[in-house]
Amino acid sequence: MKQIIAAALISLLCAANVANAAVWEGTSVADAAAWEDAGEDAGVAGTIAWKAASETADMADTDISLDLYARCAVLMDGGSGRVLYDQNGDVPLPMASTTKIMTCILALEAMGEMEDGASYADSLTEADPDAETDMDAALNTDSETGIEQSAGPESDTAADIICTVSGTASAQPEVKLGMVKDDTFYLSDLLYSLMLESHNDTAVCIAEAIGGSVEGFAAMMNAKAREIGCTQTYFITPNGLDAEDENGEHHTTAHDLALIMRYCLTESPQRKAFLKVTQTASYSFSNISGTRSYSCTNHNAFLNLMEGAISGKTGFTSKAGYCYVGALEREGKLLIVALLACGWPNNKGYKWVDTKKLMNYGLSEYEQRNITAVVPQTGEIAVTDGQQEQVSTQAEQLPSVEVLMRSDEDVEVRVEMLQTIEAPAAEGTQVGLVHYLVDGSEYAVTSILTTQEVRERTFLYCLRELTHAFLLCG
């Protein structure tokens, strides 16, 4: 018996020496992107192999027709970004004055950067979404009462910007404020002219004040669109008037337009200020010199059409037709609707019919579900060159991730994990990922970690084991 045990342990000892002759390369991966790369080309990893398991259910047919007027329409879950209804949502079309939501949010963020004493253009893609600034004073509204106050020449706050009217701005076509060349305004006042009355000259004046020129501001708009995740959007003008240049036409898609609105409402550091402006019923102001006075009235009828309507922007040109993007918050749901080419004169009301239909569909058919409520059991994986044959694992618990889902939909939990891990490895070494998907789209991901340290099978370890075996047999 002693001879059999000795032979086995000697073989084990030799194997350990061979393994220790090479430099150990860890199998943990720093981030999810690297894991995805490894999964695509597992052969590169040598002895590393992948195993995949999924808990799936057949998805219900989502080809539901709501018989809309719009050529292109999207209903989006504003919380998760999930598209709940799509009708030609990725078809590029002109979007008219819905463009101005991008103009508005860039202007508000520029005011926030001014308050921090930084250059907005240089930090466009580095804004902290949680670094909100108090814009009540700059926007001349009372956050408690919602009363709109005239700005006047005494409202020059640290967060405000003076806009000087150029000949280009004053020459814009209707609809316009009626600006006079070389006149000056506070940006905080012009935001109401932009969003409530949709004035085209105001949009150009704002663009030139922030971007230095219309072209400079359009470059900022396109950079922000890419940052947000828009893939088929191209801005040429800040007001949405039909335009074309060597790179194409001024356009977006219903999906991209919904993404921009979602950014304005949930991700921008100036999301509260955006809501304040777009919810205002009426606003009065003057130029800085006080020689001219102006009044604006909100033309977003949707604010009064449905309970919970919180924001929106209309648009129309002869090429774009009637367009709309709006949002509603009710029953814990944030719903965003984007419509392009929703009728031409005399069908101005089509956009309200479609918007209500889509919003009601979202309210009645979808409920919030925590898709990370179930944490899968990940079991054990094999250990090579270790003092143990297997090591246990567990998935990290994620915070609640809410996604709007229909009652006939299920969450897909996809586990992606290494089959083996090479010793040594510390406790908490990442060995896989858990993906949470709904209808094929991923909304959350978490790591799978080892629950204990994995020690290497060294020469001294094998020697101790050999000695211990002889003593037991003795």
Side-chain angles (χ1 to χ4, degrees):
M1 175 64 70
K2 286 185 177 181
Q3 289 84 352
I4 295 173
I5 295 174
L9 287 175
I10 290 171
S11 298
L12 185 67
L13 183 61
C14 292
N17 283 328
V18 171
N20 288 326
V23 178
W24 176 76
E25 295 181 0
T27 59
S28 62
V29 183
D31 53 37
W35 282 93
E36 296 294 342
D37 292 341
E40 290 174 4
D41 193 8
V44 176
T47 59
I48 297 176
W50 292 95
K51 65 177 180 180
S54 63
E55 303 168 9
T56 62
D58 291 336
M59 305 303 294
D61 182 11
T62 57
D63 294 331
I64 300 169
S65 176
L66 295 181
D67 193 23
L68 303 175
Y69 290 110
R71 289 185 183 175
C72 302
V74 157
L75 171 66
M76 179 176 287
D77 171 8
S80 68
R82 184 189 183 200
V83 174
L84 309 179
Y85 186 87
D86 184 315
Q87 179 173 296
N88 303 318
D90 290 322
V91 175
L93 288 174
M95 63 289 208
S97 286
T98 59
T99 294
K100 289 171 180 146
I101 65 171
M102 178 64 90
T103 302
C104 180
I105 202 64
L106 289 184
L108 286 166
E109 291 180 357
M111 293 171 71
E113 293 296 335
M114 287 285 289
E115 186 170 279
D116 295 335
S119 168
Y120 173 67
D122 290 341
S123 59
L124 179 62
T125 60
E126 300 175 2
D128 181 358
D130 295 320
E132 297 183 32
T133 55
D134 183 4
M135 303 292 283
D136 284 348
L139 295 175
N140 309 295
T141 56
D142 188 305
S143 60
E144 296 296 327
T145 65
I147 297 173
E148 297 75 35
Q149 303 167 349
S150 177
E154 296 181 358
S155 68
D156 189 9
T157 68
D160 218 334
I161 296 173
I162 294 175
C163 301
T164 301
V165 180
S166 70
T168 301
S170 62
Q172 292 299 299
E174 295 287 353
V175 173
K176 62 182 182 178
L177 181 65
M179 290 178 160
V180 177
K181 187 177 183 298
D182 296 328
D183 206 352
T184 55
F185 295 85
Y186 290 114
L187 175 58
S188 58
D189 291 328
L190 292 184
L191 291 175
Y192 295 93
S193 166
L194 176 77
M195 298 304 288
L196 275 57
E197 293 282 357
S198 200
H199 290 142
N200 292 319
D201 50 355
T202 295
V204 171
C205 187
I206 290 173
E208 292 175 335
I210 297 171
S213 65
V214 167
E215 293 75 18
F217 188 75
M220 295 169 67
M221 297 172 82
N222 287 314
K224 176 61 75 173
R226 290 191 295 271
E227 177 190 329
I228 292 170
C230 300
T231 59
Q232 296 192 75
T233 294
Y234 181 55
F235 291 106
I236 299 175
T237 71
N239 49 28
L241 292 177
D242 297 329
E244 184 175 1
D245 63 15
E246 64 277 7
N247 296 316
E249 294 184 337
H250 184 94
H251 70 269
T252 189
T253 65
H255 180 256
D256 281 2
L257 185 58
L259 278 180
I260 296 170
M261 176 59 92
R262 179 173 181 260
Y263 172 81
C264 293
L265 297 175
T266 68
E267 298 177 350
S268 171
Q270 299 304 334
R271 51 192 177 269
K272 291 182 180 178
F274 179 85
L275 274 174
K276 184 180 293 293
V277 171
T278 58
Q279 290 178 352
T280 298
S282 61
Y283 188 82
S284 298
F285 65 99
S286 66
N287 58 355
I288 291 179
S289 66
T291 58
R292 296 182 180 86
S293 297
Y294 305 89
S295 294
C296 301
T297 301
N298 199 327
H299 292 277
N300 179 17
F302 178 64
L303 292 175
N304 300 312
L305 286 178
M306 291 190 72
E307 177 189 352
I310 60 171
S311 186
K313 183 71 189 74
T314 58
F316 175 81
T317 67
S318 59
K319 188 172 186 177
Y322 291 111
C323 303
Y324 185 66
V325 57
L328 177 144
E329 192 168 27
R330 194 201 298 179
E331 303 168 5
K333 308 169 189 178
L334 175 60
L335 299 173
I336 296 171
V337 164
L339 306 171
L340 298 177
C342 191
W344 273 258
N346 295 308
N347 296 307
K348 191 173 183 179
Y350 281 180
K351 61 182 179 290
W352 306 130
V353 175
D354 281 1
T355 298
K356 290 178 67 176
K357 187 177 292 187
L358 285 163
M359 292 297 189
N360 283 323
Y361 172 71
L363 290 170
S364 64
E365 298 297 323
Y366 287 86
E367 295 295 336
Q368 292 280 15
R369 299 241 320 255
N370 176 16
I371 66 170
T372 59
V374 178
V375 179
Q377 298 298 314
T378 54
E380 297 180 327
I381 60 173
V383 175
T384 59
D385 299 328
Q387 296 181 17
Q388 62 200 74
E389 293 183 356
Q390 292 182 320
V391 62
S392 60
T393 66
Q394 67 179 16
E396 286 188 305
Q397 178 67 60
L398 282 173
S400 174
V401 177
E402 302 283 340
V403 176
L404 286 178
M405 298 176 60
R406 296 196 313 273
S407 60
D408 59 352
E409 293 181 310
D410 290 289
V411 179
E412 178 187 352
V413 181
R414 185 177 299 166
V415 176
E416 192 175 41
M417 192 164 71
L418 293 171
Q419 287 185 329
T420 62
I421 184 173
E422 185 177 355
E427 179 182 347
T429 297
Q430 186 182 28
V431 292
L433 296 170
V434 179
H435 305 268
Y436 295 87
L437 304 93
V438 178
D439 198 19
S441 296
E442 182 176 289
Y443 294 94
V445 62
T446 191
S447 297
I448 301 172
L449 308 176
T450 57
T451 61
Q452 61 193 108
E453 180 185 4
V454 177
R455 295 183 178 180
E456 186 179 11
R457 189 173 62 229
T458 62
F459 176 83
L460 289 177
Y461 168 78
C462 292
L463 186 60
R464 283 197 302 269
E465 290 296 301
L466 180 62
T467 302
H468 181 67
F470 270 111
L471 289 175
L472 286 178
C473 292

